[in-house]
């Protein structure tokens, strides 16, 4: 964010509009055509000032540029980052160390997920095998019942 909170265009057009507004009574006495020029120029410059202001406010809102919550980077020998919301300082080496720890933890979680996925796949295969065994046993039982019925009919 630059000087004047990125409102430099608003400031310049506002100053120009104020100067035109202030000079209007002095120059309209010299020539009547200048009166027409000022009647046109002054409202247009104030409209441009308002347009610049509202467009910068919109841009700030869309990109969350609020002056009170921004982070400041100090480029010193230790290269630290100071945040205005907490007032604490964190060095880049600490950030890298935390990033490496989090990367290792993420890799461990990924490995655990892979192991769990393989375990789930193995259990699904075992379930399908058990279902097949249950079907085979039910067919054997049904076949034995049919054999008993058939032998019972033969004896009568």
């Amino acid at each position: 964010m630059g000087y004047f909170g990125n409102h430099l265009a608003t400031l310049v057009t506002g100053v120009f509009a104020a100067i035109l507004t202030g000079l209007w009574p002095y120059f309209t006495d010299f020539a009547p055509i200048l009166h027409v020029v000022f009647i046109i120029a002054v409202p247009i410059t104030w409209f441009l000032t308002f347009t610049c202001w509202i467009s910068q406010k919109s841009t700030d809102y869309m990109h969350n540029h609020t002056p009170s919550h921004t982070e400041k980077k100090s480029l010193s020998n230790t290269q630290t980052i100071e945040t205005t919301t907490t007032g604490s300082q964190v060095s880049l080496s600490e950030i890298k160390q935390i990033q490496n720890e989090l990367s290792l933890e993420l890799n461990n979680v990924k490995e655990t997920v892979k192991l769990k996925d393989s375990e789930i796949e193995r259990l699904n295969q075992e379930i399908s095998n058990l279902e097949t065994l249950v079907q085979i046993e039910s067919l054997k039982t049904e076949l034995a019942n049919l054999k008993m019925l058939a032998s019972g009919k033969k004896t009568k």
Side-chain angles (χ1 to χ4, degrees), residues 93-111:
S93 60
E94 290 174 344
I95 292 173
K96 291 289 184 186
Q97 180 185 3
I98 292 170
Q99 184 180 13
N100 289 336
E101 290 172 3
L102 290 174
S103 295
L104 288 174
E105 189 173 333
L106 178 64
N107 289 336
N108 289 338
V109 168
K110 284 181 181 178
E111 288 297 320

Side-chain angles (χ1 to χ4, degrees), residues 50-67:
F50 175 73
T51 304
C52 288
W53 178 77
I54 200 74
S55 66
Q56 186 60 49
K57 284 293 186 183
S58 172
T59 302
D60 289 345
Y61 177 77
M62 292 303 290
H63 297 286
N64 294 326
H65 289 163
T66 54

Side-chain angles (χ1 to χ4, degrees), residues 55-137:
S55 66
Q56 186 60 49
K57 284 293 186 183
S58 172
T59 302
D60 289 345
Y61 177 77
M62 292 303 290
H63 297 286
N64 294 326
H65 289 163
T66 54
S68 62
H69 297 356
T70 58
E71 292 183 354
K72 297 178 183 177
K73 291 184 180 179
S74 61
L75 297 175
S76 61
N77 294 337
T78 59
Q79 290 188 341
T80 60
I81 297 174
E82 181 179 333
T83 60
T84 58
T85 55
T86 60
S88 62
Q89 290 186 351
V90 179
S91 68
L92 292 178
S93 60
E94 290 174 344
I95 292 173
K96 291 289 184 186
Q97 180 185 3
I98 292 170
Q99 184 180 13
N100 289 336
E101 290 172 3
L102 290 174
S103 295
L104 288 174
E105 189 173 333
L106 178 64
N107 289 336
N108 289 338
V109 168
K110 284 181 181 178
E111 288 297 320
T112 304
V113 168
K114 285 180 185 177
L115 291 175
K116 296 294 181 186
D117 285 344
S118 64
E119 182 70 17
I120 289 171
E121 184 63 33
R122 185 188 64 78
L123 288 173
N124 283 336
Q125 182 65 35
E126 193 173 316
I127 288 170
S128 68
N129 289 341
L130 286 173
E131 287 174 351
T132 305
L133 287 175
V134 167
Q135 289 173 351
I136 290 172
E137 287 301 319

